[in-house]
Amino acid sequence: MMGGGQQQLQQLSQELQALDEEIEALEAEIEEYESEKADIDDAVEAIETLDTGETVQVPLGGGAYLRAEVQDIDEVIVSLGGNYSAEQGQDDAIDVLRRKQEALDDRIEETQAEVDELESESQELEQQAQQMQQQMQQQQMQQMQAQADDE
């Protein structure tokens, strides 16, 4: 009798651990999306505030930068995804970037919904585990009581 309950409890605890890991991974995804949105905000702000002829720092990667002069602020090259980029005017570039943010908002919403679902599943399993532990403790108490009565 004892062995079965213990096994079920172990299984529940493994399921809970798997859920927790999945939740953590999804929350890390949400953080990445939020970071991408912040990068887009920075880009939009730069496009809106920079003028032709101004000097900017251009990242080369690896933490290295070059100083460069903005030749034409109305020629912004925007990544369209899938290794494609296009030259856009200032306003169009901002529109493209804002649409990217909206897509990220949708992804954040979907991912958050998944997290909420997994968290409620996790709470249910925790309650089940607690109930099982209580039942097992009661059984142990009853067995101990029965042994004491026998003596």
Side-chain angles (χ1 to χ4, degrees), residues 90-100:
Q90 227 171 338
D91 293 341
D92 290 339
I94 290 170
D95 286 344
V96 169
L97 291 169
R98 288 294 181 218
R99 280 200 299 276
K100 279 187 185 184

Side-chain angles (χ1 to χ4, degrees), residues 30-123:
I30 290 174
E31 274 179 41
E32 279 177 38
Y33 296 147
E34 294 286 4
S35 166
E36 246 180 279
K37 279 181 60 182
D39 287 348
I40 291 173
D41 277 334
D42 291 344
V44 168
E45 191 184 340
I47 293 168
E48 287 174 338
T49 56
L50 283 172
D51 287 321
T52 298
E54 277 191 64
T55 301
V56 291
Q57 286 189 341
V58 180
L60 301 174
Y65 295 84
L66 272 183
R67 281 202 191 86
E69 188 181 298
V70 177
Q71 284 191 327
D72 185 351
I73 194 59
D74 209 38
E75 287 178 10
V76 182
I77 297 157
V78 183
S79 162
L80 303 174
N83 293 330
Y84 291 101
S85 297
E87 199 171 280
Q88 307 272 339
Q90 227 171 338
D91 293 341
D92 290 339
I94 290 170
D95 286 344
V96 169
L97 291 169
R98 288 294 181 218
R99 280 200 299 276
K100 279 187 185 184
Q101 277 187 321
E102 284 167 22
L104 287 168
D105 278 332
D106 291 344
R107 281 203 221 142
I108 289 169
E109 218 173 286
E110 288 165 20
T111 310
Q112 188 57 56
E114 273 183 75
V115 168
D116 295 344
E117 213 173 289
L118 292 174
E119 278 177 346
S120 72
E121 205 177 310
S122 172
Q123 283 170 345

